[in-house]
Amino acid sequence: MALLRDCRNPRLASPKKPLLALGLEGSANKLGAGVIKHNEDGSATVLANIRHTYITPPGEGFLPRDTAQHHREWANKVIKDAVSQAGISMHDLDCICYTKGPGMGAPLQSVALVARTLAIMFNKPLVGVNHCVGHIEMGREITGAQNPVVLYVSGGNTQVIAYSRQCYRIFGETLDIAVGNCLDRFARVINLSNDPSPGYNIEQEAKKGKRLVPLPYATKGMDVSLSGILTSVEGYTMNERFRPIGVPYNPEDDVITPADLCYSLQETVFAMLVEITERAMAHIGSTEVLIVGGVGCNERLQEMMGIMAQERGGQVFATDERFCIDNGIMIAHAGLLSYRTGYHTPLEKSTCTQRFRTDEVHVAWRL
């Protein structure tokens, strides 16, 4: 059980009694269930945050059909564990929240079906939640950031976001693939393990890199392009000087190692993200940066962003892997905030939207 920071908002009155929500997340290869409580004093308490990951063999990604099957097989256990850890029953819940999108279609539908079934079985209101907004609201809650520029970086999304007039507005984004997808795909090329995640293993391999190889630096105003960088770094693996993992070589030889390529890829891509984030900070006059999403766990990204923020007299906020990586508790928290404004999702509209953009959400709980 973890007591979080005060979640009171000038627009959102503190509840007259404690409110409980179950959140279900399954937009990609993580299936999560979380239970959160919003207290009468305006604070929030994490009662449970359970997650199970679908991990494929090295060199392979995860297909929508197989991922959906994983979610269906594990949903009952993950939800039971969350409710048990929270010390509640399903009848105690005030609402059931699920990820409406964005994400992979089949996994989203599998989790939405579970949420609808539970809502009908226990006669509870259903709340569809935007995955991106879930990350942002959980990040704000955990870190205490007031009005930050948000860098949202994950396997499916790369966006620079700032809040204005009840909307999280997108200042810049990827024009093609997301940064997490870029890192994951390169991990498959060099045959890194997917356990615990390819991005984490790229980060560890990059720490051993000694050579910065030239890669395209592709910022387009406030946007970035990452597909060309991925093609370029993949090209180095076909160079005669490249030595794959496990192949011995003389350290004195002029070789390119997987560690060098991981290091170069991280440094180049993260520099681009820092640049567009700094532009957004300058535009809105903010001194806070909040990094959310699975790639936000990367310590090198946090370090580079921290250097930039410090030079501007600002501060970086980030969470650890419990809340950075996709999880059910962020869906529960954002859903309960929405529920407290009087919103719920009718069963006939409890569909999924694979391209549910961050700026399409009415953030009614903020001024």
Side-chain angles (χ1 to χ4, degrees), residues 14 62 147 179 185:
S14 297
F62 47 91
N147 190 33
V179 60
R185 286 166 64 176

Side-chain angles (χ1 to χ4, degrees), residues 94-96 98 124-128 335 338-350:
D94 291 282
C95 62
I96 294 172
Y98 76 98
K124 300 295 180 182
L126 197 59
V127 181
S338 185
Y339 173 75
R340 288 168 57 186
T341 68
Y343 175 81
H344 77 279
T345 303
L347 280 174
E348 61 272 17
K349 294 186 178 180
S350 58

Side-chain angles (χ1 to χ4, degrees), residues 74-360:
W74 282 89
N76 191 42
K77 176 173 172 48
V78 169
I79 294 169
K80 278 187 173 181
D81 287 350
V83 172
S84 175
Q85 187 178 103
I88 64 167
S89 76
M90 293 294 294
H91 299 283
D92 298 325
L93 295 170
D94 291 282
C95 62
I96 294 172
C97 314
Y98 76 98
T99 303
K100 184 176 179 67
M104 301 168 68
L108 282 172
Q109 290 172 7
S110 295
V111 175
L113 176 59
V114 172
R116 280 195 295 271
T117 302
L118 293 175
I120 293 170
M121 286 176 61
F122 297 98
N123 193 28
K124 300 295 180 182
L126 197 59
V127 181
V129 176
N130 179 284
H131 179 88
C132 315
V133 172
H135 272 297
I136 295 170
E137 290 301 342
M138 202 68 216
R140 290 180 62 235
E141 184 64 32
I142 295 294
T143 64
Q146 296 301 307
N147 190 33
V149 168
V150 179
L151 176 64
Y152 173 34
V153 278
S154 68
N157 299 275
T158 299
Q159 297 175 343
V160 176
I161 302 162
Y163 175 80
S164 176
R165 298 181 181 181
Q166 296 191 314
C167 179
Y168 284 115
R169 304 183 186 274
I170 300 172
F171 277 65
E173 59 190 320
T174 178
L175 297 173
D176 35 56
I177 61 174
V179 60
N181 185 245
C182 177
L183 297 174
D184 291 355
R185 286 166 64 176
F186 184 63
R188 295 201 290 272
V189 169
I190 59 175
N191 212 36
L192 285 181
S193 171
N194 289 323
D195 188 11
S197 71
Y200 174 81
N201 293 323
I202 285 267
E203 179 183 2
Q204 303 314 308
E205 194 71 16
K207 294 176 181 177
K208 299 180 285 186
K210 298 178 181 179
R211 178 199 293 255
L212 184 67
V213 302
L215 292 173
Y217 188 92
T219 56
K220 313 281 187 178
M222 282 298 297
D223 299 323
V224 296
S225 175
L226 299 171
S227 59
I229 296 173
L230 176 61
T231 301
S232 181
V233 74
E234 286 178 356
Y236 280 102
T237 65
M238 294 179 276
N239 190 295
E240 61 182 14
R241 291 185 296 156
F242 177 71
R243 296 295 181 271
I245 293 174
V247 175
Y249 64 91
N250 187 341
E252 296 181 0
D253 291 344
D254 183 25
V255 300
I256 299 173
T257 67
D260 294 334
L261 297 182
C262 291
Y263 168 70
S264 303
L265 182 60
Q266 276 199 171
E267 293 297 304
T268 305
V269 170
F270 291 171
M272 293 161 53
L273 297 176
V274 170
E275 178 184 334
I276 62 173
T277 303
E278 183 175 17
R279 286 185 187 155
M281 291 176 70
H283 183 79
I284 71 170
S286 175
T287 58
E288 296 180 335
V289 179
L290 173 63
I291 308 177
V292 299
V295 183
C297 296
N298 189 294
E299 294 178 354
R300 179 54 181 158
L301 175 59
Q302 294 179 16
E303 179 185 18
M304 292 174 69
M305 196 67 71
I307 293 170
M308 179 275 289
Q310 188 175 25
E311 290 175 350
R312 298 183 61 86
Q315 186 177 1
V316 171
F317 296 89
T319 64
D320 60 32
E321 61 89 25
R322 292 174 300 167
F323 305 107
C324 229
I325 298 172
D326 291 352
N327 59 84
I329 199 67
M330 70 182 193
I331 302 302
H333 179 57
L336 193 50
L337 287 173
S338 185
Y339 173 75
R340 288 168 57 186
T341 68
Y343 175 81
H344 77 279
T345 303
L347 280 174
E348 61 272 17
K349 294 186 178 180
S350 58
T351 55
C352 299
T353 305
Q354 287 184 259
R355 298 182 182 274
F356 190 7
R357 286 180 60 83
T358 313
D359 52 8
E360 293 177 355

